[in-house]
């Protein structure tokens, strides 16, 4: 599980994330929603450690990782699917997935990954950079899943993915949550996808949380209103 | 006290000179010995009372293997430091770059390297041999001793090897009645001689005549050996290997090949024994002395002789004294040298056969040869 | 007025910087230095042409050339050929087997002046050649490479290879070029002794004016839309293409322009130093020119001049004081600048100059308070 | 089924094929686009949509086939010539000059001073300024004119790129997933924008967001494995079982 | 070719083949280290030649020590000195990465300047420690001669030794970079350092060891080259341009390209040199290279990735 307290992030002088506090227990999926430029990506980057946080604590299963390098955070169980894919373009698809297996010590790519993204199996030997946009996005998700994370961060994971696969991804995330002890945090713009996976929804605005709802209580119109201020 | 010339760095008890060699860059390899020898000579002169009662002070500059830097530093030594003489330069290119400065500022340069000739400046004393003094006797010697008729010429691609080869070819064809079966130049610093060696095999020359310089030399000899070409099968005569180069090449790779120089460290005469001893005392037991090093050592002594004859440090007077043809050094390690009015030295040519320990055995010594920087019939 | 001013000097800080540089090289140096040192500075300033050209080509254009020495050399050689012919009058060369041709040709058994040397009897042709030959040469290389979209490190290595080719050719064809010795012993220009102190001083000032003119011309390019396109190309070349620009043409132009200014530097070098040699065409000087630009701050035209001066002063001073160890100091200097001042000297000036302009702004604001609405979206001057 | 070579279409793609090491990403494609038409191309990931745009704008060279734009063959033109002919394209991942300000991004896209000497003499006068301001307002970035483009959020970058195309005023505008990463509200705004700008030119859009597609499309084409699977208006296509099978999901 | 017998021509043909192959192995061995440091990591390491020199000096040092203290070991020391050269140059590389290079990954062109500075410092260190003159280790007898295959064909043993070492090193590098999981980490890191960290790769460690490995291989090359050339403070500068050329011409990120490039440059140079002068052979080889690069702008074996 993930505990974050008083997290602040700055780009140079300007503070973009203003002291966030939140806790996500095991087996919960938290969706973070917000308009463009409100700090979702920034928040994720600081959780995985590619952006330094200027203040605050990040605990994974009680272990403070806020001073650690990102590879150590991954070792402690975070996995990250960045916005904009960021796959390794000149590695083959298979090698791309294998980079995620350095941590989990898996020997072979699990079959269920290829079952979820059949296209990746077909294109195993192709260079990652030659895939189409949506294929790359699928690859990035696969790469994160093979690390066997305790906390999975997904920054707009459905961007550029075809509707049928979005549905599959939603099913898989729900499945994983049932099978493993996992915490999922996802930032999303597509409300339908969010509603399909999230247990709880938080709206972020200008680097602060302004609204929080459990899925059961979500009033879609209200959320929509928050998102279009 | 004798008159001092105005404008020079001369006080009542000191006189300042410059040393200008490459301490850095590719040429430092060759020039280190020269500047060591010059410092030794100056130290010895100072210990024996200096010149005209003055101790010599040295300002050293680094030419950095870069010709324009030689020009810049020459100007600095002459204009800023007003030195009475400069001992320096090694490559012809650096001399050519510095020469106009010496002529403009009326300085005096003692240049130690064997070189291509075709030059005679009022402001330079050439203490090394010009091409004819080095080349002709060597060729005569192999023609006679080894019965050589066919020659393969190989050198680095720049002016000194090319000019030397030009003279060699004329001599081989016109005087010795021999034949040049190949002539080859490799870029400076090149380390691949495989193809050339194959060509040489194909031509089967009686003599390989070589003027490869610097680091290339090492590759050249190691690869010759590796190709199975050694002194048992093949005569090789080079004009560009001295004890300095042997250090890098390794005596085992040169064994039995010949160099033609005017000086070898192994020369057995009292002058040289004393010189070698003093040099090693100053610069360490491991140090070796090559032809240019010895020629550089002559510089300060020749200057001392000329200054004392002129009674002044004034450049014009010193040059004039030098041009009278009667300045000689009986104490020269190479034996005996005399300064010719054309600013070059009378010297002997010697053929040395290299031994495994990196020393050469002198197998031939010529008569004293008159320097002739503009040789008739060889241009 | 303000248009022209912006075009030529950039923002206010640019103008101040320019004036300080002009004052330094035109007044301070000539007053403070003796003729030997002034001539040295003059020599350094000829390298500054190449450094400035690299600011355009590399700093803004994003195209690193490791062969600016090629053009510096061609310019220098063109000038040297003219001066050498003048120095090789039949009277001066009477002792040669063929009087009237350069001495090195005579040593190489050449008996007739080669055809391509002939036009260099004319001074006006020589000036023309200094400017045009390198430009054409750059055009050929540039068109061949940029049209084929050779870029980045590939281009850098190719320029390096070309400079090796040229060096090998010059050294190998010594009968035509003077070989490794270069073309030496140049003494007069149309009968006027260029080795005299007065000639050197005059050349120094000509050199300074040319350098300042080149900086202004470069400023003009950089502040125009062309300059922004250069930056855009460095950032995302493909996008520029898809905005309708023929990217290759822009690169060719800036490469040619850079070649031309480097060549001016080369020609001024020959005039001030009195010889030209293949060691300027080679790789080491070419890399050093890049270092001058980098030390100055690769985005700053004026910084390039200071970078050149600093490194060369350093070289001279270190090597005079520590002839045996000065390379440690030079190496350390490069590393220190890269590590601690990633934006070079210009980075320092950014910080310091900031205070200076603020003060000026304050004074100016006392007099005029109005700020038009149009000002609000007026383009910010580029970063030099 | 060879059509006459001269057509009234803005864009006529005929028998277009491209293969990468034997893999046919676009396979014998025929496709036509009218003036004033806003046409959306959908299809599974890897269907070849982006590749088609790459072919039109000259980024990728076709293996065979022809692309005619206003009766001008594009397949042998270079990228900038295609732009000059009137084609503008937005990339799937926003492609802007991150180190330049929004203003400078737009200025560079302004269709004047595109030659070497033209750009040297280009004057940033009131006309240019007004145009930039106008486009910036359209893309809701008028307050961010002096912001460095790299600092914009993902959605803002998308808009900026659209703005860079608008200022060129192209006859054919091609947008690859323009609303990816945008929030609901922004999608709506973008849809409005697209509806507005499709007047007087042809627009080709690639999108996966069906709501958005429904809102803008005049006509929809479904691409699958480099071939056209279905084509028509949105309602029909959405009901097509083949489309549901390979693309929409059940 | 008038005047020569078939035997002679055949022999020359064979020998010429060896000349080309030995130049090939030299070029490739030089380039392997740089193919990792520059080709994979993107660091423009102008001090690469100096790392080679470090290996050469290590060999010299070990040769001298062996000769003085355990002369009986002389026939064998060379093999150990190659390992030592690898370790010494690798350690120097490790330190250089730690002190210098790691701060510059975001500014790859600055690595050119910093490593140029580094190369000056290293050269001067060699000069201060070993003197300005060239040195040469005493090589074991077995390495130096030629193996007379026929009475006309002599096969240079040092050339074969370098070839063997080159093949071994190339295979090792290939395995390490493309077949091992460590290689996967290296390639991921060099393509996207930030993202590699975010999938759990210790990028700092990878960078440091990769750089050290590249330098170590340079050191091995330096040790091997003592059999064919000399060692001096500026030895490295002789190699650096050719080395970059080989790597770039091959297509920077492709090991196979590096091999092909070394092979074609070597063959062109050695065949041409047989017919025209060394200088002109060099000019033509280089010119051909420029022209080929014009048509293959990203090198012989550019990796084809969609942009
Ligand atoms: N490198 C940077 N330097 C300075 N500011 C930045 C930088 N990157 C992002 N920002 C600013 O930080 C804010 C938050 O950006 P972020 O990318 O986190 O937004 P987001 O919520 O992920 O938006 P989107 O939905 O568009 O992806 C924005 O205002 C952006 O301008
Ligand atoms: N250079 C290339 N080399 C190999 N395969 C390629 C190359 N470019 C594209 N492909 C393949 O061609 C197919 C079509 O790719 P394209 O990017 O056009 O898909 P798309 O329809 O845009 O998909 P998406 O909706 O995911 O963006 C993909 O399977 C991709 O892997
Ligand atoms: N004078 C010489 N050897 O360059
Ligand atoms: Mg985001
Ligand atoms: Mg696509």
């Amino acid at each position: 599980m993930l505990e974050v307290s008083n997290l602040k992030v700055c780009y140079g002088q300007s503070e973009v994330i203003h002291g966030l506090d939140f806790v996500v227990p095991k087996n919960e999926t938290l969706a973070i929603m917000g308009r463009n430029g409100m700090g979702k990506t920034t928040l994720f980057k600081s959780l995985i450690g590619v952006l330094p946080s200027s203040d605050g604590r990040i605990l994974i299963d009680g272990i403070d990782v806020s001073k650690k390098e990102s590879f150590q955070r991954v070792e402690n169980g975070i996995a990250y699917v960045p916005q904009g894919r960021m796959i390794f373009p000149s590695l083959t698809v298979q090698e791309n997935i294998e980079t995620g297996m350095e941590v989990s010590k898996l020997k072979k790519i699990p079959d269920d990954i290829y079952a979820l993204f059949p296209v990746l199996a077909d294109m195993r030997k192709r260079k990652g950079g030659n895939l189409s946009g949506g294929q790359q996005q699928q690859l990035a998700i696969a790469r994160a899943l093979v690390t066997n994370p305790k906390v999975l961060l997904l920054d707009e994971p459905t961007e550029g993915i075809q509707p049928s696969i979005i549905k599959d991804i939603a099913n898989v995330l729900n499945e994983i949550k049932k099978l493993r002890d996992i915490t999922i945090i996802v930032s999303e713009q597509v409300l339908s996808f969010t509603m399909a996976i999230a247990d709880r929804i938080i709206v972020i605005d200008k680097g602060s949380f302004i609204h929080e709802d459990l899925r059961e209580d979500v009033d879609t119109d209200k959320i929509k209103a928050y998102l279009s201020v | 006290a004798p008159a001092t010339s105005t404008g020079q760095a001369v006080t009542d008890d000191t006189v300042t000179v410059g040393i200008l060699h490459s301490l850095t860059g590719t040429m430092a390899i060759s020039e280190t010995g020269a500047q060591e020898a010059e410092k030794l000579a100056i130290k010895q002169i100072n210990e024996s009372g200096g010149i005209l009662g003055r101790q010599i002070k040295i300002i050293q500059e680094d030419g950095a293997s870069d010709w324009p830097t030689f020009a810049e530093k020459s100007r600095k030594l002459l204009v800023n430091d007003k030195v009475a003489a400069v001992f320096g330069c090694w490559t012809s290119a650096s001399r050519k770059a510095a020469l106009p400065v010496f002529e403009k500022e009326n300085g005096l340069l003692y240049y130690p390297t064997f070189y291509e000739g075709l030059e005679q400046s009022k402001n330079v004393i050439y203490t090394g041999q010009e091409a004819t003094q080095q080349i002709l006797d060597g060729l005569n010697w192999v023609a006679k001793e080894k019965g050589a008729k066919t020659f393969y010429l190989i050198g680095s691609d720049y002016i000194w090897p090319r000019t030397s080869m030009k003279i060699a070819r004329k001599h081989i064809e016109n005087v010795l009645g021999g034949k040049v079966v190949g002539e080859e130049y490799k870029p400076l610093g090149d380390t691949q001689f495989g193809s050339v060696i194959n060509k040489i095999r194909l031509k089967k020359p009686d003599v390989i005549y070589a003027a490869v310089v610097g680091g290339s030399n090492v590759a050249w000899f190691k690869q010759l050996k590796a190709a199975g070409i050694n002194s048992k099968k093949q005569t090789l005569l080079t004009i560009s290997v001295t004890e300095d180069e042997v250090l890098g090449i390794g005596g085992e790779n040169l064994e039995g090949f010949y160099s033609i120089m005017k000086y070898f460290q192994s020369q057995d005469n009292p002058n040289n024994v004393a010189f070698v001893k003093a040099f090693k005392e100053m610069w360490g037991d491991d140090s070796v002395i090559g032809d240019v090093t010895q020629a550089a050592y002559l510089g300060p002594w020749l200057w001392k002789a000329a200054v004392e004859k002129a009674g002044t440090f004034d450049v014009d007077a010193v040059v004039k004294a030098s041009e009278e043809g009667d300045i000689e050094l009986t104490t020269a390690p190479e034996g005996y040298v005399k300064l010719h009015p054309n600013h070059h030295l009378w010297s002997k040519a010697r053929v040395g056969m290299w031994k495994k320990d990196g020393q050469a055995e002198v197998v031939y010594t010529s008569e004293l040869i008159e320097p002739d920087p503009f040789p008739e019939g060889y241009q | 007025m303000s248009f022209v001013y912006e075009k030529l000097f950039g923002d206010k800080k640019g103008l101040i910087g320019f004036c300080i540089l002009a004052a330094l090289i035109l007044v301070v140096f000539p007053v403070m230095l003796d003729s030997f040192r002034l001539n040295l500075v003059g020599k350094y300033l000829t390298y500054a042409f190449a450094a400035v050209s690299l600011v355009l080509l590399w700093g803004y254009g994003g195209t690193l050339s490791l062969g600016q020495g090629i053009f510096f050399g061609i310019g220098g050689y063109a000038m040297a050929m003219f001066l050498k012919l003048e120095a090789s009058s039949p009277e001066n060369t009477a002792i040669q087997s063929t009087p009237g041709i350069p001495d090195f040709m005579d040593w190489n058994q050449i008996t007739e002046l080669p055809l391509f040397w002939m036009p260099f009897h004319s001074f006006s042709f020589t000036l023309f050649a200094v400017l045009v030959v390198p430009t054409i040469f750059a055009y050929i290389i540039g068109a061949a490479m940029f049209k084929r979209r050779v870029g980045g490190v590939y281009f850098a290595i190719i320029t390096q290879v070309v400079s090796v080719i040229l060096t090998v050719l010059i050294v190998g064809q010594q009968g035509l070029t003077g070989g490794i010795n270069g073309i030496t012993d140049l003494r007069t220009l149309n009968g006027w002794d260029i080795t005299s102190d007065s000639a050197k001083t005059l050349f120094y000032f000509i050199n300074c004016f040319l350098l300042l003119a080149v900086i202004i011309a470069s400023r003009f390019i950089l502040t125009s839309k062309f300059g922004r396109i250069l930056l855009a190309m460095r950032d995302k070349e493909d996008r520029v293409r898809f905005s309708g620009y023929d990217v290759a043409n822009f690169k060719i132009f800036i490469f040619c322009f850079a070649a031309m200014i480097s060549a001016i530097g080369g020609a001024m070098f020959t005039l001030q130093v009195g010889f030209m040699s293949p060691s300027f065409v080679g790789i080491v000087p070419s890399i050093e020119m890049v270092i001058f630009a980098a030390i100055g701050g690769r985005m700053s035209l004026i910084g390039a001049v200071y970078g050149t001066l600093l490194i060369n002063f350093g070289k001279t001073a270190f090597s005079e004081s520590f002839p045996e160890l000065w390379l440690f100091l030079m190496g350390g200097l490069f590393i220190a600048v890269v590590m601690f001042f990633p934006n070079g000297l210009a980075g320092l000036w950014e910080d310091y100059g900031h205070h200076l302009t603020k003060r000026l702004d304050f004074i100016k604001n006392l007099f005029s308070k109005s700020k038009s609405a149009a000002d609000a979206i007026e383009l910010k001057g580029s970063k030099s | 089924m060879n059509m006459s070579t001269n057509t009234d279409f803005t864009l006529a793609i005929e028998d277009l094929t491209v293969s990468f090491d034997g893999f046919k990403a676009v396979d014998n494609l025929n496709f036509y686009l009218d003036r004033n038409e806003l046409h959306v191309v959908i299809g599974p990931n890897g269907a070849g949509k982006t590749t088609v745009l790459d072919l039109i704008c000259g980024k990728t060279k076709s293996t065979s086939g022809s692309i005619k734009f206003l009766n001008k063959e594009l397949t042998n033109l270079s990228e900038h010539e295609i732009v000059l002919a009137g084609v503008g394209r937005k990339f799937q991942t926003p492609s802007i000059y991150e180190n330049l300000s929004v203003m400078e991004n737009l200025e560079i896209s302004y269709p004047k001073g595109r030659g070497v000497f033209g750009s040297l003499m280009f004057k940033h006068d009131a006309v240019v300024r007004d145009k930039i301001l106008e486009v910036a307002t359209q893309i809701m970035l008028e307050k961010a004119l002096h912001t460095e483009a790299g600092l914009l959020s993902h959605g803002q970058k998308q808009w900026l790129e659209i703005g860079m195309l608008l200022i060129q005023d192209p006859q054919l505008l091609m947008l690859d997933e323009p609303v990816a990463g945008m929030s609901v509200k922004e999608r709506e705004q973008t849809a409005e924008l697209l509806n507005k700008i499709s007047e007087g030119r042809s627009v080709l859009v690639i999108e996966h967001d069906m709501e958005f597609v429904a809102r803008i499309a005049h006509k929809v084409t479904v691409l699958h494995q480099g071939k056209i699977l279905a084509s028509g208006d949105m309602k029909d296509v959405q009901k097509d079982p083949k489309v549901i099978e390979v693309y929409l999901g059940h | 070719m008038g005047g020569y017998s078939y035997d002679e021509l055949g022999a020359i043909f064979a020998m010429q083949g060896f000349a080309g192959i030995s130049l090939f192995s030299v070029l490739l061995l030089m380039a392997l280290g740089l193919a990792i440091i520059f080709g994979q990591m993107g660091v423009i390491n102008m001090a690469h030649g100096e790392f080679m020199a470090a290996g050469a000096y290590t060999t010299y040092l070990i040769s001298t020590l062996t000769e003085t203290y355990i002369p009986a070991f002389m026939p064998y020391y060379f093999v150990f000195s190659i390992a030592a050269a690898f370790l010494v140059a690798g350690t120097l590389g490790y330190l250089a990465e730690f002190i210098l290079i790691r701060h510059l990954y975001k500014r790859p062109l600055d690595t050119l300047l910093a490593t140029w500075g580094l190369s000056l410092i290293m050269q001067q260190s060699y000069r201060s420690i070993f003197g300005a003159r060239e040195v040469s280790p005493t090589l074991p007898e077995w390495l130096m001669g030629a193996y007379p295959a026929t009475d006309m064909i002599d096969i240079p043993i040092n050339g074969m030794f370098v070839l063997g070492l080159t093949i071994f090193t190339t295979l090792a590098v290939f395995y390490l970079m493309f077949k091992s999981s460590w290689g996967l980490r290296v390639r991921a890191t060099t393509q996207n350092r930030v993202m590699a960290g975010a999938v759990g790769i210790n990028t700092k460690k990878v960078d440091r060891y990769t750089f050290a490995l590249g330098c170590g291989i340079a050191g091995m090359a330096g040790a091997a080259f003592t059999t064919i050339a000399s060692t001096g403070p500026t030895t490295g500068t002789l190699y650096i341009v050719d080395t970059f050329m080989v790597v770039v011409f091959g297509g920077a990120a492709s090991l196979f390209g590096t091999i092909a490039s070394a092979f074609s440059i070597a063959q062109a140079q050695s065949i041409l040199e047989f017919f025209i002068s060394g200088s002109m052979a060099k000019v033509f080889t280089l010119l051909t290279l420029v022209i080929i690069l014009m048509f293959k702008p990203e090198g012989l074996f550019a990796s084809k990735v969609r942009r």
Side-chain angles (χ1 to χ4, degrees), chain D residues 120-185:
Chain D
L120 282 173
M121 295 305 149
F122 179 80
K123 269 209 177 115
H124 188 87
D125 54 18
V127 180
V128 180
R129 217 171 290 163
D130 289 347
K131 181 75 191 169
I132 289 178
L133 201 54
E134 180 198 321
V135 170
T137 315
Q138 256 181 331
I139 56 174
M140 291 155 279
L141 287 176
E142 73 277 12
K143 293 214 182 66
L145 272 176
H146 294 297
T147 309
E148 213 175 291
L151 305 185
L152 297 178
S153 79
H154 189 82
Q156 290 174 318
K157 287 178 183 170
Q158 300 267 41
W159 274 340
L160 176 57
E161 200 182 357
I162 295 175
M164 288 163 68
L165 298 180
L166 287 181
I167 206 166
Q168 283 175 28
D169 196 21
Q171 284 304 297
L172 171 61
L173 188 60
M174 308 191 290
L175 306 167
D176 200 350
E177 306 198 10
V179 297
M182 285 191 189
S183 65
V184 183
K185 171 77 189 275

Side-chain angles (χ1 to χ4, degrees), chain A residues 40-41 83 155-156, chain D residues 154:
Chain A
K40 302 180 293 293
T41 301
Q83 185 172 23
D155 195 358
E156 310 210 8
Chain D
H154 189 82

Side-chain angles (χ1 to χ4, degrees), chain E residues 129-197:
Chain E
I129 299 170
F130 298 99
R133 288 198 182 84
E134 307 203 319
V135 297
S136 189
T138 314
L139 292 164
E141 269 309 313
W142 60 266
L143 242 178
M144 288 315 296
Y147 169 72
T150 72
D151 44 333
M152 253 171 314
I153 302 183
D154 291 286
I155 299 174
I157 293 173
N158 58 4
M160 291 304 107
F161 181 81
V162 174
L163 178 62
L165 186 67
T166 306
I167 293 174
F168 168 79
T169 316
T170 310
L171 290 177
V173 168
F174 180 79
Y175 176 80
L176 220 54
M177 295 303 290
F178 295 99
K179 294 287 163 218
S180 74
S181 77
W182 190 76
L184 185 64
R185 269 177 267 171
V186 173
R187 285 178 295 141
T189 302
T190 53
Q191 280 179 48
N192 190 334
R193 203 159 265 105
V194 170
M195 196 55 223

Side-chain angles (χ1 to χ4, degrees), chain C residues 15-224:
Chain C
L15 180 65
I16 297 173
F18 184 85
C19 293
I20 292 178
L21 178 70
L24 184 70
I25 62 178
L26 290 175
V27 181
V28 177
F29 285 155
V31 169
M32 303 244 316
L33 300 176
D34 61 33
S35 94
F36 165 64
R37 293 287 169 194
L38 190 65
N39 180 233
L40 267 189
V41 174
K43 181 173 98 173
Y44 303 159
L45 287 177
T46 65
Y47 303 143
F49 285 87
V52 167
S53 84
L54 279 162
V55 169
L56 293 174
L57 186 62
W58 177 39
Y60 285 83
T63 312
L64 177 59
S65 159
L66 291 180
Q68 275 324 82
I70 299 169
F71 308 112
F72 188 87
I74 294 178
Y77 264 97
M79 186 55 80
M81 284 162 81
F82 170 77
L83 297 175
K84 188 69 189 176
L85 283 181
E86 182 169 325
S88 314
S89 64
E91 308 83 71
N92 286 348
T93 53
I95 57 159
Q96 290 176 184
S97 10
T98 315
I101 62 173
D103 48 8
F104 59 83
M105 290 187 187
D106 195 57
W107 303 337
N108 286 281
Q109 294 126 306
I110 286 176
T111 51
E112 209 181 318
L113 194 64
L115 211 59
F116 77 98
W117 273 75
M118 298 285 187
F120 288 92
H121 277 297
S122 147
F123 187 57
S124 35
F125 176 84
T126 302
L127 290 184
F128 177 76
V130 165
L131 296 176
V132 172
V133 174
T135 311
I136 292 177
F137 195 56
Y139 181 83
I140 294 170
I141 300 177
M145 295 303 146
F146 296 134
K147 289 276 181 198
R148 304 285 327 165
R149 300 200 187 161
V150 178
V153 72
Y154 295 92
F155 183 79
I157 299 290
I158 281 179
T159 49
Q160 200 172 55
V161 170
V162 172
S163 82
V164 174
I165 293 177
L166 213 60
T167 313
V168 173
L169 273 178
I170 293 175
V171 172
Q173 303 298 316
Q174 53 180 320
L176 306 177
T177 61
I180 201 155
N181 288 0
I183 299 180
T184 61
D185 215 1
L186 311 171
R187 290 157 192 265
T188 57
L189 173 72
N190 291 329
W192 173 50
D193 181 4
I194 57 170
T195 58
S196 68
D197 278 350
S198 61
K200 291 198 157 153
T201 309
L202 184 61
F203 282 136
Y204 175 83
F205 283 106
I206 294 177
N207 193 34
C208 290
F209 281 117
L210 284 174
L211 182 61
L212 294 173
V214 159
I215 290 176
I216 290 180
S218 307
R219 249 308 145 55
F220 173 79
I221 292 180
L222 293 180
T223 46
S224 72

